[in-house]
Amino acid sequence: MKKTRRFFILLAIVGGMWAAAPLEACTGITLTSGDGTKVLARTIEWGGSDLNSQYVVVPRGYTEQSLVPGGADGMTFTARYGYVGFAVEQKQFVAEGLNEAGLSAGLFYFPAYGQYEAYDAAEKQRSIADLQLVPWLLGTCATVDEVQQAVAGVHIINIDPRSSTVHWRFADRSGRQVVLEITDGQPRFYENKLGVLTNSPGFEWHMTNLNNYVNLVAGGAAVQQWDGTTLAPFGAGSGMLGLPGDVTPPSRFVRAAFFQTTAPQQPTAEATARQCFQILNNFDIPVGVEFADRKVPADIPSATQWTSATDPTHLRIYYRTMYDSRIRCLDLTGIDFAKVRYTARPLDEVREQPIEMVKVK
């Protein structure tokens, strides 16, 4: 009885989170440091409510069971690798994470364009909810190749038809990165050499759309003469005139690709992680832009609820939140995943931005 009640509570949460129109936005970039380390960073947005995000530490041998339509008795899976992740709403809904083998995995909203296969109750032992795909793969795979093999053997489904579909980004220590999208019920992987990802439409569409911005260059535009009239830039950055500034996924994809490509390379992975946060400052979305007449449904300081940066090489995952802009780090090399207990803690113990008073002497 308790298990059934818990399932319906979770079902209500899932349906309520992504059923309607509040901003569903995520922006992902990838930077490479001078020592060859690739750092993957991303934002997660939701303007409708506080996602009550937590970090989870999952030991080797930890067993979970997937939700499926009608119950919580889907596929059972046990972690072969320990991992750390950031969960939304419920501790089993890991949206971004890194395992001890260096596999990085994250989900991004993908409304209106994804289509999962229909759920078949006879296949429930091989069915996994989309919001639990990240923890399953982090616990069982070490490489992108293994991710592709694992996905081919299961059915990825949603537990509430009201909820948005998602797509995923996976990367391993080799630097290889792929995007997984499920359309027409079929999983499709795309090599992501650029390392940028946002939301709908599909990944291939976004890559094609970049060709519309071939004119963008770093620095300034050249002075022009039009029939004796001199046209000169008003100031720095004129080479990026035409860069879209709105918060739609196509515009964020172009902007992220431009900022990523023009960023000066940093010498170390840690410096690169800091640079990722600086770049993603440009993608913080204020509460209110997605609601008319300032009718904001949630008392939260930002629609961008947290931002993370993942270093698969050195096994570090960094984060900051809408409540605290300090960068914090979880170092997997300091965790004994054979002994650590399963842990779930709020990303913020104090949900208010700290202000340090400066004493003038």
Side-chain angles (χ1 to χ4, degrees):
M1 188 68 181
K2 287 183 179 179
K3 189 174 182 181
T4 301
R5 181 173 178 273
R6 176 172 169 271
F7 168 75
F8 283 110
I9 291 172
L10 290 172
L11 191 66
I13 288 170
V14 173
M17 280 171 63
W18 295 309
L23 195 68
E24 300 172 343
C26 313
T27 301
I29 61 173
T30 307
L31 298 181
T32 304
S33 67
D35 62 10
T37 301
K38 289 188 178 296
V39 178
L40 296 87
R42 58 89 53 85
T43 66
I44 191 164
E45 280 82 19
W46 175 248
S49 63
D50 191 324
L51 289 173
N52 298 309
S53 300
Q54 307 171 72
Y55 73 80
V56 295
V57 180
V58 181
R60 295 180 214 133
Y62 185 77
T63 298
E64 298 183 68
Q65 190 163 28
S66 177
L67 302 171
V68 292
D73 57 347
M75 186 176 83
T76 299
F77 52 98
T78 300
R80 179 171 41 164
Y81 301 104
Y83 63 90
V84 170
F86 301 135
V88 294
E89 287 295 352
Q90 296 293 318
K91 61 186 181 182
Q92 63 265 55
F93 297 161
V94 176
E96 183 73 27
L98 174 68
N99 73 12
E100 60 181 318
L103 180 73
S104 168
L107 67 81
F108 290 62
Y109 305 125
F110 191 46
Y113 283 82
Q115 183 182 10
Y116 305 140
E117 63 179 291
Y119 172 62
D120 180 356
E123 293 288 334
K124 67 179 182 180
Q125 297 305 315
R126 294 176 58 236
S127 296
I128 186 161
D130 56 352
L131 297 181
Q132 292 173 274
L133 187 70
V134 167
W136 169 53
L137 292 172
L138 287 176
T140 55
C141 298
T143 65
V144 168
D145 281 341
E146 290 181 7
V147 166
Q148 292 177 299
Q149 293 168 11
V151 165
V154 299
H155 304 282
I156 302 170
I157 50 97
N158 60 3
I159 57 177
D160 188 326
R162 298 174 296 168
S163 61
S164 169
T165 52
V166 299
H167 57 180
W168 296 264
R169 176 178 73 172
F170 301 99
D172 59 31
R173 297 180 90 162
S174 73
R176 185 183 175 201
Q177 183 178 150
V178 297
V179 172
L180 167 62
E181 295 179 346
I182 301 177
T183 53
D184 299 322
Q186 298 297 316
R188 294 178 171 86
F189 285 93
Y190 303 96
E191 297 292 329
N192 188 1
K193 295 180 180 180
L194 179 63
V196 172
L197 187 62
T198 58
N199 315 106
S200 302
F203 177 71
E204 287 191 313
W205 184 95
H206 284 292
M207 293 299 295
T208 300
N209 184 54
L210 284 178
N211 292 284
N212 286 318
Y213 299 90
V214 68
N215 60 295
L216 297 178
V217 294
V223 175
Q224 301 287 333
Q225 295 289 333
W226 286 12
D227 292 335
T229 299
T230 299
L231 305 180
F234 287 116
S238 56
M240 56 189 288
L241 284 170
L243 184 71
D246 60 83
V247 301
T248 62
S251 294
R252 284 185 287 106
F253 193 101
V254 174
R255 205 156 65 251
F258 182 78
F259 291 159
Q260 172 184 300
T261 302
T262 56
Q265 189 174 65
Q266 300 300 306
T268 65
E270 186 173 290
T272 302
R274 290 194 184 96
Q275 186 181 38
C276 284
F277 285 103
Q278 291 290 343
I279 290 174
L280 289 177
N281 282 339
N282 296 278
F283 296 87
D284 281 356
I285 299 175
V287 170
V289 299
E290 75 274 32
F291 301 103
D293 302 322
R294 297 187 179 182
K295 294 179 180 178
V296 180
D299 182 17
I300 54 177
S302 174
T304 303
Q305 300 207 12
W306 48 264
T307 303
S308 67
T310 302
D311 175 356
T313 300
H314 300 97
L315 299 180
R316 287 185 168 189
I317 186 165
Y318 305 80
Y319 74 95
R320 69 164 190 225
T321 73
M322 62 179 173
Y323 291 114
D324 191 342
S325 58
R326 294 176 303 165
I327 299 171
R328 286 153 278 176
C329 178
L330 293 160
D331 187 346
L332 277 67
T333 64
I335 302 172
D336 186 343
F337 287 102
K339 296 180 179 179
V340 70
R341 292 185 177 182
Y342 180 95
T343 302
R345 294 282 186 273
L347 292 187
D348 295 293
E349 296 293 342
V350 178
R351 294 154 72 87
E352 187 175 57
Q353 176 64 46
I355 297 177
E356 180 182 350
M357 300 304 296
V358 178
K359 294 182 180 180
V360 179
K361 297 181 181 180

